[in-house]
Amino acid sequence: MSAWRAALRIAYREARRHKGRSALVIGMVLVPILGLTFAAVTFDMFQLRPAEEFARQAGAADAAVVWRSNGALLQDWRGRNVSSETAGPPPEGVDAARVLKVLPSGSRVIPRDRAVVTLRTTAGVGDLNAYAVDAADPLTGGLVRVREGVAPRTAQEIAVTARAGERLGVGIGGTVRSARGEDTWRVTAIVEFPADLGQVVLFGAASMPADAERRESTLWLSDTPHPVTWSDVERLNTKGLVVMSRAVYGDPPPPGRTAYPNDGIDGDAGTPPLNLALVIGGLVLLEVVLLAGPAFIVGARQRQRDLALVAVNGGRPAHLRRIVLADGVVAGAAAAILGVGLGIAIAFALRPVMENDLVGARAGGYRVFPLALLGVAGLGVLAGALAAMVPAFTAARFNLVAALAGRRGILRSRRRWLVVGMAIVGAGAASSAYGALTVSPNALVTGLIMVECGLIFCIPALIGLLSRLGPFTPPSLRIALRDMARNRASAAPAISAVMAAVASSVAIGVYLTSNAGREEAMYQSGLPSGYVTIDYVDDAERLTKMGADNPVIAAAKSTLPVKDLTETLGFTCAGTVASGDFCTMFMVRPPDRRCFMLDLPRPYTAEQQRRALADPRCDADGAGAPPGSSLMGVVDDPRQLGILTQASAAELAEAEKMLKSGGIVVRDRNYVQDGKATLAVLDSRVSGQSQLPDQLPTVAVPAYVLTTGYGDAGQMFIASSAVTKAGLAFRPNGVVVATTRMPSQAEEDRLKQELLIVSNDVSKYASVERGSHRRTDPRVAILAVVAAFITLGATGAATGLAAADSRADLSTLAAVGASVRIRRALSLAQSGLIGGLGSALGLIVGAGAALTILMSHNRSTAGQWPRSTPFSLLVPWATVLVLVAVPLFGMLGAGLLTRSRLPVERPQG
């Protein structure tokens, strides 16, 4: 222990004597520690505890109940998933008195309603989420907070969130109006819902407007005399109530106690999903060690003469190893303390930004993740020691005479390390491929780490290969290449550090971008993004008679960025039509084209799913839903097809020919047999006609399958002449507006305001196709910034250490008359070689790792039916461009920060 104490004292003294070099060494370890700390603290703040999760839904109540049905049901312990085979709709007239009868004696309840209301906004008319609850009641604590003012109590009062107030253009004391202005409410408070920081309004208890849309069943917040246990929950389930209990959230029942059925797919039906966290964790651990490695190698080189003096005075190799290892421990401990402290401070400082701009909900509180931070701090010390281990053993075996004379060490890398590196890369690639095919996280992460480690062994040889280009390059780049070749022990880890940072960032960025692209592909859009649909609803006949004076078309043209506009046609009954008459037609699959899985009970077995995946009849959902609810059914003008689908020119030409000849255009080829599709015709006026598809009269029409453009599998476009031949008629039922861009929220609000002049229904049924409603994953942007920070930090620190290692060469250049421009160009070239080579290798490795991970994910879902949308390799170009630009910024910084005048180096000895 005394030897270790001496080594630690020497390391501490050297750190204080060489503050600049020590700061660079600590910085290399600190960067990943800070990032891990920020991630751990942020995760812990937003990872809600059971009590917090319960409060977001039920406030300070002991339980929250919803009377869901008039029969027994089953629920999971959270009250989110409910099932019942015999229950019907909820009973009529459920009020507080009726709820109190089934709760323990002495309970108290208050109602909480939720819906969507249409209100006047600064731009027009818009829909906002709405709650109705007594926010002044203690039971709502945690559900809603009154930030300013007084909670609404009467039916003429309302409260708004800050964002809702901005959209509505009101504050405390202002007036909120209904869509038509018939009802008004006075704003009494600015409130906040911790679970939703968006645009929300709050009414008093039981004061939800009667015309509110999408109204949910009343949730009763209950104050009970004793905790509601799982047995109480099961008892209430038998009466048709769904229950969320604070006591159950705090102490969930064991899996065997719950009777809620597992309606998922059999456990053996598919391959278990890939544990991406394990892959990321393994790559991060490797990155921490690589980022710290070059600092200690360069530091040990700077101290070679001091270590040689220790050896001359009787120091054994073990003493030299301890001294260098102590450097790693001291630097790792300092980096751990600073990194954890700064990471906590930054996480706390950025919490409001994360809440408002990324998560859209409040964090659980200001707290840290003690166990994780202890592990991160230990990782910092361990990383410092591991990173110093190679230079420690190298320092114990260096050439004593060469070190005392100040000469360089080994200038060439041995060929055997290149062979070993290539062998490790090959083995790692094989392991990654095996892990991707078998969906084995252990094999996958082992393979990825082996590939990076193998490249680390190969980098010295790559440096030597590049140095051969020196004679053909300008002087500064030639000197930089020579120095890299002469100092491969320090240059190779520096390049490896940048490679690891870029590779990890690119791999995760590609995965997140590909995942977002996959979810976008899974969304079946009936129209291109930005298009607007307006349904005439019950005003179709009145609006059709207006012809050119149709106010719907006028409203669309005056409020939207219109590129094109077309009226869509729907089915109606031919001849005399009375109130309540209903006519439509829809596609029917031929019996031999129907997917057999639709007739099998769930859960499906693995063998059934494999058969379905191999059966082309099961490619689509096979529902055969009628297009009566769609604005697209009848096409009287073939030009409409191009507006509605944006299909390829070749397919549109064939589709238009089919429509002109009285045929039909479909999306799913399973509806077509022998070039024809079968349509079932439903006319409610026909006496005794059943509405079951297999009992309706049918008609066969020529069909063409459209495979490009927008639309879902159940969609069809039929010629107006074919409708007439089937005995039905058609009429305009709405408008589709092709826009030049995505309409803004203000433009949509103005449109709905103009449509209110027509009718309430038309205004409600105007909608903008906004795609899958997914923004670019914020993690991709954060990852690009973090990757740039790590890469720039690693490049800058490694360049600074390389510059410190070549001070004698710079002094020699200055002594022989080299200009400042030459010395700046040398620093610039050193930075560019380290950052550029590391980034290039990182891009290649990261892309390969991402491709392997995506292949593994696709493999894991390959045996599931319905067929899962596979991952496609999508590149996060913003991240790549940032990482490509980082070496350029590093070079610029190195050139600007190079000192114009250098101190004269004293000869060693």
Side-chain angles (χ1 to χ4, degrees):
M1 291 300 295
S2 60
W4 273 107
R5 282 197 298 269
L8 290 171
R9 284 200 304 269
I10 293 173
Y12 179 71
R13 183 198 65 186
E14 287 296 312
R16 296 191 62 183
R17 286 179 59 186
H18 302 282
K19 294 183 176 62
R21 187 178 70 199
S22 299
L24 289 173
V25 173
I26 292 172
M28 297 288 273
V29 186
L30 182 143
V31 168
I33 298 302
L34 188 152
L36 290 174
T37 300
F38 173 81
V41 172
T42 302
F43 172 81
D44 195 40
M45 287 193 296
F46 285 94
Q47 186 70 21
L48 299 180
R49 307 296 189 261
E52 295 165 346
E53 183 181 353
F54 180 83
R56 298 289 170 92
Q57 305 173 73
D62 293 314
V65 300
V66 178
W67 209 311
R68 184 66 60 82
S69 70
N70 59 9
L73 48 80
L74 299 174
Q75 70 165 78
D76 65 348
W77 63 268
R78 283 189 171 92
R80 296 178 181 173
N81 299 311
V82 181
S83 68
S84 175
E85 296 181 356
T86 59
E92 298 288 338
V94 175
D95 56 10
R98 188 164 183 175
V99 173
L100 287 173
K101 287 181 180 180
V102 298
L103 293 178
S105 177
S107 298
R108 182 175 73 89
V109 298
I110 62 170
R112 189 229 68 183
D113 295 307
R114 186 163 65 180
V116 174
V117 295
T118 305
L119 302 173
R120 287 283 182 91
T121 68
T122 56
V125 172
D127 295 333
L128 287 87
N129 293 325
Y131 286 83
V133 69
D134 184 4
D137 194 295
L139 287 182
T140 62
L143 173 66
V144 59
R145 299 170 183 167
V146 179
R147 311 295 292 190
E148 300 178 39
V150 179
R153 290 186 175 275
T154 69
Q156 288 73 44
E157 294 178 339
I158 194 174
V160 298
T161 62
R163 293 186 177 179
E166 292 176 1
R167 185 178 179 189
L168 298 173
V170 297
I172 295 179
T175 300
V176 174
R177 298 181 181 277
S178 62
R180 289 189 173 275
E182 299 168 345
D183 299 317
T184 61
W185 299 270
R186 184 174 63 87
V187 179
T188 64
I190 302 297
V191 296
E192 176 184 283
F193 291 85
D196 184 0
L197 299 181
Q199 301 171 0
V200 187
V201 297
L202 172 69
F203 297 94
S207 297
M208 185 70 73
D211 60 349
E213 300 287 332
R214 287 174 270 170
R215 188 163 183 163
E216 300 179 1
S217 300
T218 299
L219 179 75
W220 298 92
L221 306 182
S222 310
D223 179 16
T224 57
H226 57 76
V228 177
T229 64
W230 179 246
S231 298
D232 296 327
V233 171
E234 292 180 318
R235 178 181 61 82
L236 293 171
N237 286 163
T238 62
K239 300 180 181 295
L241 280 76
V242 178
V243 185
M244 291 183 291
S245 166
R246 180 180 298 276
V248 173
Y249 265 70
D251 184 21
R257 282 287 314 278
T258 61
Y260 183 78
N262 180 14
D263 196 27
I265 299 173
D266 283 350
D268 61 348
T271 314
L274 176 69
N275 187 352
L276 184 65
L278 179 61
V279 177
I280 295 175
L283 295 177
V284 167
L285 178 60
L286 175 64
E287 184 177 324
V288 171
V289 176
L290 288 178
L291 281 170
F296 293 110
I297 292 176
V298 174
R301 165 136 183 93
Q302 291 285 308
R303 297 179 59 190
Q304 267 194 353
R305 180 176 173 79
D306 295 338
L307 295 173
L309 291 174
V310 173
V312 168
N313 285 278
R316 297 191 302 273
H319 291 131
L320 303 181
R321 286 195 296 269
R322 288 193 188 101
I323 291 173
V324 179
L325 282 173
D327 287 344
V329 173
V330 170
I337 294 172
L338 290 174
V340 169
L342 287 174
I344 293 174
I346 294 174
F348 282 3
L350 294 182
R351 172 185 158 178
V353 177
M354 300 287 291
E355 291 175 334
N356 292 298
D357 298 331
L358 295 180
V359 180
R362 291 294 178 202
Y366 283 102
R367 55 185 178 232
V368 298
F369 199 161
L371 187 60
L373 295 189
L374 183 63
V376 169
L379 180 63
V381 178
L382 178 63
L386 290 175
M389 189 169 293
V390 172
F393 280 89
T394 302
R397 302 170 57 187
F398 63 86
N399 187 318
L400 186 62
V401 176
L404 290 172
R407 296 197 299 269
R408 302 283 184 177
I410 298 174
L411 302 181
R412 298 176 60 88
S413 60
R414 297 181 179 178
R415 185 171 299 175
R416 66 184 180 189
W417 293 118
L418 176 62
V419 175
V420 170
M422 294 180 67
I424 294 176
V425 169
S431 177
S432 297
Y434 174 78
L437 292 175
T438 61
V439 198
S440 171
N442 293 330
L444 182 58
V445 72
T446 300
L448 296 178
I449 291 176
M450 288 176 65
V451 169
E452 291 197 18
C453 290
L455 287 174
I456 293 170
F457 283 105
C458 297
I459 284 176
L462 180 60
I463 292 173
L465 183 63
L466 288 176
S467 67
R468 296 183 181 182
L469 301 176
F472 309 101
T473 60
S476 298
L477 184 57
R478 187 186 315 143
I479 297 172
L481 286 169
R482 185 205 64 181
D483 283 348
M484 280 183 58
R486 293 173 63 185
N487 298 284
R488 301 183 196 188
S490 59
I495 294 171
S496 301
V498 177
M499 178 192 71
V502 173
S504 300
S505 302
V506 169
I508 300 171
V510 168
Y511 171 79
L512 294 177
T513 303
S514 300
N515 185 56
R518 175 175 176 265
E519 293 185 358
E520 186 73 25
M522 292 171 63
Y523 175 78
Q524 288 189 339
S525 173
L527 286 170
S529 293
Y531 278 33
V532 180
T533 59
I534 307 171
D535 197 337
Y536 290 161
V537 199
D538 294 330
D539 291 313
E541 184 176 354
R542 177 173 67 89
L543 293 172
T544 302
K545 292 179 180 179
M546 292 184 178
D549 297 325
N550 189 331
V552 172
I553 296 177
K557 291 181 176 179
S558 65
T559 58
L560 298 173
V562 178
K563 178 176 64 177
D564 207 342
L565 183 147
T566 182
E567 275 193 317
T568 55
L569 305 176
F571 302 111
T572 187
C573 301
T576 304
V577 180
S579 176
D581 289 344
F582 175 73
C583 297
T584 189
M585 59 197 310
F586 51 89
M587 295 182 292
V588 178
R589 279 198 175 196
D592 58 346
R593 294 294 181 92
R594 180 177 172 84
C595 178
F596 68 93
M597 293 289 279
L598 300 178
D599 301 320
L600 298 178
R602 288 177 178 266
Y604 303 129
T605 66
E607 177 59 30
Q608 289 170 340
Q609 293 184 73
R610 280 192 289 270
R611 286 175 52 206
L613 292 173
D615 193 333
R617 297 173 301 176
C618 299
D619 284 346
D621 56 13
S629 60
S630 171
L631 294 181
M632 298 164 222
V634 185
V635 177
D636 191 38
D637 179 5
R639 186 186 68 89
Q640 290 180 307
L641 198 62
I643 299 174
L644 299 176
T645 66
Q646 287 194 349
S648 67
E651 285 200 340
L652 283 176
E654 295 298 324
E656 289 176 4
K657 291 180 182 178
M658 179 61 67
L659 292 173
K660 288 179 180 178
S661 64
I664 184 174
V665 176
V666 301
R667 285 285 183 182
D668 186 356
R669 64 180 66 256
N670 284 311
Y671 285 106
V672 180
Q673 188 174 37
D674 299 328
K676 292 186 177 182
T678 301
L679 299 174
V681 181
L682 170 62
D683 188 339
S684 63
R685 298 172 301 178
V686 178
S687 177
Q689 186 178 93
S690 170
Q691 295 189 11
L692 296 176
D694 57 352
Q695 298 179 13
L696 293 174
T698 61
V699 58
V701 295
Y704 177 78
V705 181
L706 198 66
T707 60
T708 60
Y710 293 85
D712 54 44
Q715 195 176 73
M716 73 171 184
F717 302 93
I718 186 171
S720 56
S721 57
V723 177
T724 304
K725 290 180 180 178
L728 300 183
F730 56 90
R731 67 176 184 183
N733 65 352
V735 172
V736 170
V737 182
T739 55
T740 58
R741 56 171 172 79
M742 178 68 70
S744 66
Q745 183 66 69
E747 289 170 334
E748 183 178 357
D749 289 353
R750 283 197 295 271
L751 172 65
K752 291 189 174 184
Q753 183 180 26
E754 292 295 323
L755 293 178
L756 274 176
I757 301 173
V758 181
S759 75
N760 285 336
D761 287 341
V762 173
S763 180
K764 289 177 181 178
Y765 285 93
S767 62
V768 178
E769 176 56 63
R770 299 190 181 275
S772 61
H773 303 283
R774 287 187 58 83
R775 299 178 301 173
T776 300
D777 195 326
R779 293 174 294 178
V780 177
I782 295 173
L783 193 68
V785 174
V786 172
F789 171 70
I790 293 176
T791 305
L792 187 60
T795 303
T799 303
L801 291 168
D805 197 37
S806 59
R807 281 172 64 92
D809 293 335
L810 291 173
S811 297
T812 301
L813 285 174
V816 299
S819 65
V820 175
R821 190 170 62 115
I822 294 294
R823 298 199 300 272
R824 290 186 189 277
L826 175 59
S827 296
L828 198 141
Q830 288 174 329
S831 174
L833 287 172
I834 292 173
L837 188 57
S839 295
L841 291 173
L843 288 171
I844 296 172
V845 174
L851 182 60
T852 305
I853 293 172
L854 297 182
M855 287 175 55
S856 182
H857 267 282
N858 290 340
R859 183 75 178 178
S860 69
T861 58
Q864 297 178 1
W865 187 90
R867 193 185 304 275
S868 176
T869 302
F871 282 88
S872 299
L873 184 64
L874 299 179
V875 180
W877 290 111
T879 302
V880 172
L881 290 176
V882 168
L883 296 176
V884 169
V886 162
L888 301 178
F889 283 106
M891 293 170 63
L892 180 62
L896 293 176
L897 297 177
T898 298
R899 298 173 61 179
S900 300
R901 301 177 62 184
L902 291 173
V904 177
E905 294 287 330
R906 294 182 301 174
Q908 296 180 348

